[in-house]
């Protein structure tokens, strides 16, 4: 089980000196868990369709080249939304045919590069489509091209992550006056438009709403193909967005549940006429990442015990600023990396940043923490430690993948945990360099 591998990795990180006074916060990635999630995704869609499916991992969820390479080896591609993300995908060796470019603000240079490489592009709006007109006319391309539409089906519980609202900044808003007709006309006039893309949102969006958005896109594709008189749209990019359960170790909902719901909502989506693209991110990585931090001090304030740790807003930004929307579990381990026991006490788990709200957890019931203990924050493999927030010039933590080798039958030995570096911890020299250290006199000349 993932939880038992996590316990072994916490203990090994202490035993092997990975987590130490010199490196008081580190991030771990369970490579076996990542592979299992990738396999669950591919098998879920293979169970409902024989058509080709490109599962393009949303690079924004974990922009780390070794992670992208691992997913590539598991058969996944990449969905990118910036020149930086495209560079990461290419550095990981993901071929052009496995990359999809989405962004609401693509520059002419980004579009030219994508078309030159043969990368799929989803135009976010009709102005961008006009740019593509000129580029396609000037230079032939093998890039599959499409339009992103907003089905305007509503919001989930986190507005910032709901992308199919009436006023979303993404895609062509289908229910606005004249918009649907304009999209159909765009395909009539451009035989090279062969894809249609939608994405309803992610965390906080219920599966039924996600499926409804995909169903709207499928209905539009059918309408366009009927109007054109042929199967011009041959691929539907249905986005990603499967939410994650941050309250337990359960991996729910599952890809299989979502695929079956899509099959019920839009059966024709899986009858072989359409290729598919998915763009899952958080659901592939979140459950397989764990932050570890040393407890530096403990104190009491107003009768409330407080454990001051080295992990806070710099690695868990969303949780610190919006704890209701982004709650995280905190697990207590002793100084040897073993699960801490003892009387459960309501306490705060604080980070190192210099503002009062820098809390990983407030009023959390845990075995009472002590200086030198270890706190582990699971479910952080996506959008947490890979997206550093440089408050107080706190350094980016090192990220390490781990594997667990169990002893063979009759060996009588212990499981072996092996770590490998995914990203080095940031040095103080690198912080100074990024802060303009080479230009110290620039403003006093």
């Amino acid at each position: 089980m993932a939880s038992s591998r996590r316990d072994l990795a916490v203990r090994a990180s202490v035993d092997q000196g990975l987590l130490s006074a010199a490196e008081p916060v580190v991030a771990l990635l369970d490579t076996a868990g990542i592979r299992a999630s990738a396999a669950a995704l591919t098998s879920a869609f293979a169970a409902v369709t024989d058509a080709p499916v490109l599962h393009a991992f949303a690079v924004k969820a974990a922009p780390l080249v070794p992670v992208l390479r691992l997913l590539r080896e598991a058969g996944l591609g990449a969905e990118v939304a910036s020149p930086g993300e495209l560079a990461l995908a290419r550095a990981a060796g993901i071929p052009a045919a496995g990359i999809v470019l989405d962004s609401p603000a693509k520059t002419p240079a980004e579009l030219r590069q994508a078309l030159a490489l043969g990368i799929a592009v989803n135009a976010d709006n009709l102005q961008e489509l006009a740019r593509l007109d000129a580029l396609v006319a000037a230079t032939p391309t093998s890039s599959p091209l499409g339009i992103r539409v907003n089905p305007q089906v509503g919001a989930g519980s986190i507005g910032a992550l709901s992308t199919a609202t009436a006023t979303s900044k993404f895609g062509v808003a289908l229910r606005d006056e004249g918009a649907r007709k304009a999209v159909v006309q765009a395909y009539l006039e451009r035989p090279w438009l062969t894809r249609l893309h939608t994405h309803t949102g992610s965390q906080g969006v219920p599966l039924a709403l996600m499926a409804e958005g995909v169903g709207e896109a499928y209905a539009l594709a059918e309408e366009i193909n009927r109007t054109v008189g042929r199967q011009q749209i041959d691929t539907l990019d249905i986005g990603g967005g499967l939410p994650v359960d941050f309250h337990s170790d359960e991996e729910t909902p599952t890809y299989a549940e979502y695929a079956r719901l899509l099959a019920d909502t839009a059966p024709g989506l899986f009858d072989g006429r359409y290729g598919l693209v998915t763009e899952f991110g958080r659901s592939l990585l979140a459950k397989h990442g764990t932050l570890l931090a040393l407890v530096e001090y403990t104190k009491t304030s107003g009768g409330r015990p407080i454990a001051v740790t080295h992990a806070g807003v710099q690695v868990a930004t969303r949780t610190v600023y919006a704890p209701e929307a982004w709650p995280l579990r905190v697990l207590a381990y002793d100084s040897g990396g073993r699960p801490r026991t003892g009387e459960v006490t309501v306490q705060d788990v604080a980070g190192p940043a210099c503002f009062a709200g820098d809390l990983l957890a407030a009023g959390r019931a845990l075995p009472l923490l002590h200086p030198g203990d270890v706190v582990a924050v699971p479910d952080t493999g996506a959008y947490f430690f890979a997206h550093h927030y440089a408050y107080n010039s706190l350094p980016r933590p090192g990220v390490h993948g781990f594997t667990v080798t169990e002893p063979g039958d009759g060996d009588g030995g212990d499981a072996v945990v092996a770590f490998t570096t995914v990203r080095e911890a940031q040095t103080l020299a690198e912080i100074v360099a990024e802060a303009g250290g080479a230009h110290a006199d620039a403003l006093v000349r």
Side-chain angles (χ1 to χ4, degrees), residues 195-276:
R195 290 191 173 187
L196 187 66
H197 172 44
T198 195
H199 175 68
T200 302
S202 53
Q203 194 67 20
V205 176
L207 293 193
L209 190 64
M210 291 169 57
E212 182 182 352
V214 172
E216 292 289 332
Y218 167 75
L220 177 59
E222 293 282 272
E223 178 183 343
I224 290 169
N225 286 340
R226 285 194 305 269
T227 303
V228 173
R230 63 186 179 89
Q231 177 105 16
Q232 179 170 327
I233 295 178
D234 59 25
T235 301
L236 282 168
D237 183 336
I238 62 173
L242 196 74
V244 169
D245 176 7
F246 285 99
H247 299 285
S248 75
D249 282 323
E250 294 298 317
E251 294 188 45
T252 56
T254 67
Y255 295 117
E257 289 168 349
Y258 183 46
R260 289 194 296 268
L261 178 59
L262 288 174
D264 292 339
T265 303
L269 185 66
F270 295 135
D271 66 8
R273 291 176 297 128
Y274 293 99
L276 296 174

Side-chain angles (χ1 to χ4, degrees), residues 10-24 26 400 419:
V10 174
R11 176 72 180 273
S13 72
V14 174
D15 289 345
Q16 298 181 32
L18 196 69
L19 183 70
S20 66
E23 297 289 342
V26 298
H400 306 271
F419 295 103

Side-chain angles (χ1 to χ4, degrees), residues 59 65 68 78 80 84-95 99:
V59 173
V65 172
L68 304 182
V80 302
E85 290 184 355
L86 175 55
L88 296 177
R90 297 185 71 194
I94 298 175
I99 300 176

Side-chain angles (χ1 to χ4, degrees), residues 393 426 428-443 445:
S393 296
Q426 188 180 30
L428 296 182
E430 288 169 337
I431 291 174
V432 171
E434 290 182 8
H439 310 284
D441 295 330
L443 302 180
R445 291 174 182 168

